[in-house]
Amino acid sequence: MENKAAKQFLHKLSGFIESHELLSVHDKYLVALSGGADSVALLLALCELGYQVEAAHCNFNLRGEESLRDEHFCLGLCAAKNIPFHRIHFDTRAYASLHHVSMEMAARELRYRYFEQLRNDLGASGVCVAHHQDDQVETVIMHMLRGTGIKGLTGMHPRNGFILRPLLGVSRAEIVQFLGSINDVQSGGRGQRFVTDSSNLVADVMRNKVRLEVLPMLRTLNPSVDAAIVSMAEYMDGASKVLDETVQNAIAQSRRGNGVYSLQLLRRGSSPELLLFSLLSGKGFTPAQVKQIAALSNDRSGRMWKSKTHCVTVNRDELIIKELDSNNLAHCSRSLRIPEEGTYVFSPAVRFRVAMVERGCDFSVSKQPNMAMLDAASVQFPLTIRHAATGDRFVPFGMTGSKLISDFLTDRKKSIFEKQKQLVVTSANGSIVWLVGERTDNRFKVSPDTKKVLIIECETIQ
């Protein structure tokens, strides 16, 4: 590769890699090789620059003979260049059907899962993918069409974990020119061969429509629109970093504890909704849910919003975020029967001890919240330990009238999450004898006539 075009391309690529500290000549890297112009150029350029690379090809079996053609081309290219080659076949249609995702999403999930597994197996430092400047422009436009926030306007980054994008600094035209400058023996010296994915030529999925229809129209309005969008993405990246720092400082100031935030402090910012978006980012909440939380958090204490992984509620002046735990959710529907004295495990984190003692003259009722002392004659076995249910009532110690447990806990300023975890102990007839950790029922209290005392202790296992 002694010609001027090749030298210019390699110089530009090398400068981009160096400025972003993407690669090291001492490490090994995987190159995602599809057989198209972009990935072929990436593979050959990195080899020419002296990097240790191996190629990985995915056959998604979506284009029949064309998929096999691409695989055989990649195999032949790597054999000719003496580059280690790895390949895998996927039943992409079956995966998409099983997981209820689009074919495009199925291919993406399968591809990156394989790359990461292979990277670990080979001890590679990263996976190089062939996204270039034109892809960056398309990505930013797609994000705009979907109503992105400021992060979406930054587009793709040169490094995303172990995914590396060395070609983001060059255009598709430069890539094609580079391949054309290579004197490849197999193609008779007329430039390096590559394959073309025919599905990229049809304006069906959004990216293809942006590439084939939207961008050509924008270029008639501004011939330099690609450069303008790339420049905007770079400006937005800088602005995003400044904004992130400001937002994270505001969130840190509003934090009261693990997953608990002051609504009053969150509302002080110039954009409370932006703070909520950042706070809930990555927790599965939709933009519509965040808007609801921002709008209703002023006056709807107790309202709950759920994503697949998290739950949010407003409790007075607090916003509480909890991660959903399938084990805890399963425990909410369980109950434990206690037929006699002994030690009983309710869950991996909670166990109860039940004992009967004689009431001596020097006996005094414990005031520890994790212990209930009751008149044994008033309580009948078997006892039941369960979570409090809607409509549960009891007579709080010291009172004569019954009260809804939910109202009692509200008076105690308990959040909806704490209410969901609340346990009760019931007698054989279903009467609640103890609101665990809170209050015993007045009807079962120890009195001067009590001869035997039933002691129930709740222990939380750390």
Side-chain angles (χ1 to χ4, degrees):
M1 297 185 187
E2 296 296 329
N3 62 71
K4 183 177 179 181
K7 284 185 177 181
Q8 288 178 340
F9 182 87
L10 293 173
H11 178 73
K12 191 171 183 178
L13 176 60
S14 178
F16 185 86
I17 291 172
E18 183 178 347
S19 65
H20 292 281
E21 299 180 343
L22 288 182
L23 306 175
S24 168
V25 292
H26 304 293
D27 295 333
K28 180 194 297 181
Y29 299 93
L30 279 174
V31 174
L33 181 65
S34 68
D38 309 332
S39 63
V40 170
L42 176 62
L43 180 69
L44 298 183
L46 292 182
C47 286
E48 187 69 19
L49 290 173
Y51 293 106
Q52 183 184 355
V53 297
E54 299 187 15
H57 176 78
C58 298
N59 187 334
F60 298 104
N61 291 294
L62 293 174
R63 295 178 287 116
E65 289 299 321
E66 193 174 278
S67 292
L68 289 175
R69 177 208 66 182
D70 295 353
E71 180 182 336
H72 292 154
F73 171 81
C74 293
L75 177 61
L77 174 66
C78 290
K81 303 295 183 182
N82 198 28
I83 299 171
F85 179 69
H86 309 271
R87 56 181 162 174
I88 191 170
H89 284 238
F90 293 119
D91 189 344
T92 312
R93 288 187 175 87
Y95 181 92
S97 176
L98 179 64
H99 295 275
H100 307 289
V101 295
S102 67
M103 212 69 70
E104 186 180 18
M105 181 58 68
R108 175 184 172 82
E109 291 179 1
L110 289 168
R111 175 170 62 246
Y112 284 107
R113 187 181 302 166
Y114 168 64
F115 289 158
E116 179 58 15
Q117 179 182 343
L118 186 59
R119 185 192 69 79
N120 281 316
D121 291 344
L122 297 175
S125 296
V127 180
C128 299
V129 295
H131 294 133
H132 48 74
Q133 275 188 1
D134 296 44
D135 294 321
Q136 180 77 299
V137 172
E138 293 165 11
T139 298
V140 172
I141 291 176
M142 288 169 63
H143 287 173
M144 292 172 64
L145 293 173
R146 290 168 176 159
T148 185
I150 190 171
K151 284 189 179 296
L153 295 177
T154 67
M156 297 179 287
H157 294 87
R159 179 189 296 274
N160 183 14
F162 290 107
I163 301 299
L164 310 175
R165 299 184 175 94
L167 293 183
L168 275 186
V170 298
S171 67
R172 167 75 178 189
E174 290 173 306
I175 288 171
V176 173
Q177 185 180 24
F178 167 71
L179 292 175
S181 69
I182 299 175
N183 294 319
D184 180 54
V185 176
Q186 290 180 310
S187 62
R190 296 186 300 274
Q192 172 62 51
R193 293 185 304 147
F194 55 88
V195 295
T196 300
D197 183 344
S198 61
S199 65
N200 290 334
L201 304 177
V202 181
D204 51 359
V205 298
M206 179 182 283
R207 183 174 289 276
N208 286 357
K209 289 181 179 179
V210 169
R211 178 185 303 130
L212 301 174
E213 298 175 1
V214 176
L215 269 171
M217 186 268 292
L218 290 177
R219 288 174 186 136
T220 64
L221 301 175
N222 177 10
S224 302
V225 67
D226 297 68
I229 291 175
V230 169
S231 179
M232 180 198 70
E234 292 173 352
Y235 288 138
M236 288 297 102
D237 188 42
S240 177
K241 291 175 181 176
V242 174
L243 182 61
D244 277 347
E245 184 176 350
T246 302
V247 167
Q248 293 308 315
N249 286 338
I251 289 174
Q253 290 174 7
S254 70
R255 186 179 291 112
R256 287 182 172 173
N258 186 23
V260 182
Y261 300 85
S262 166
L263 278 174
Q264 182 181 7
L265 294 179
L266 285 174
R267 293 186 193 120
R268 282 183 183 176
S270 56
S271 179
E273 191 171 312
L274 176 60
L275 292 182
L276 283 173
F277 266 110
S278 300
L279 187 57
L280 300 177
S281 175
K283 295 179 174 60
F285 292 95
T286 66
Q289 286 177 307
V290 177
K291 287 181 181 292
Q292 290 176 1
I293 296 169
L296 298 178
S297 61
N298 291 315
D299 55 6
R300 291 293 297 275
S301 185
R303 175 77 183 274
M304 180 182 288
W305 296 265
K306 287 184 179 181
S307 71
K308 290 183 179 180
T309 58
H310 288 76
C311 197
V312 168
T313 190
V314 174
N315 185 51
R316 293 176 172 80
D317 184 41
E318 291 181 340
L319 183 77
I320 305 174
I321 306 171
K322 293 287 185 181
E323 186 173 1
L324 295 178
D325 185 336
S326 58
N327 292 326
N328 287 342
L329 293 175
H331 291 155
C332 287
S333 60
R334 69 166 298 185
S335 61
L336 177 65
R337 186 174 181 269
I338 298 181
E340 59 187 13
E341 298 174 64
T343 299
Y344 298 85
V345 176
F346 180 78
S347 73
V350 179
R351 65 186 175 196
F352 286 83
R353 291 191 181 91
V354 180
M356 199 96 65
V357 299
E358 296 289 337
R359 180 178 183 272
C361 59
D362 58 346
F363 177 84
S364 62
V365 176
S366 173
K367 294 183 179 180
Q368 296 180 36
N370 67 325
M371 185 177 294
M373 293 186 173
L374 309 168
D375 178 30
S378 303
V379 182
Q380 287 79 44
F381 284 96
L383 306 178
T384 299
I385 301 173
R386 60 173 174 81
H387 283 85
T390 302
D392 275 346
R393 305 183 74 94
F394 81 130
V395 180
F397 180 81
M399 297 177 58
T400 55
S402 70
K403 192 177 184 73
L404 280 169
I405 284 179
S406 61
D407 290 342
F408 179 85
L409 294 175
T410 297
D411 293 341
R412 296 274 292 159
K413 299 183 178 181
K414 299 294 183 181
S415 72
I416 191 169
F417 297 115
E418 292 171 311
K419 290 179 180 180
Q420 289 178 337
K421 292 181 179 180
Q422 182 61 56
L423 297 176
V424 297
V425 180
T426 66
S427 184
N429 64 1
S431 298
I432 293 173
V433 299
W434 184 28
L435 186 63
V436 178
E438 295 294 330
R439 195 77 62 89
T440 57
D441 189 294
N442 196 65
R443 295 167 294 179
F444 304 92
K445 66 182 180 182
V446 175
S447 70
D449 298 326
T450 297
K451 293 182 173 56
K452 286 189 175 182
V453 177
L454 179 67
I455 301 176
I456 309 173
E457 184 180 3
C458 176
E459 181 182 2
T460 301
I461 305 169
Q462 300 297 332

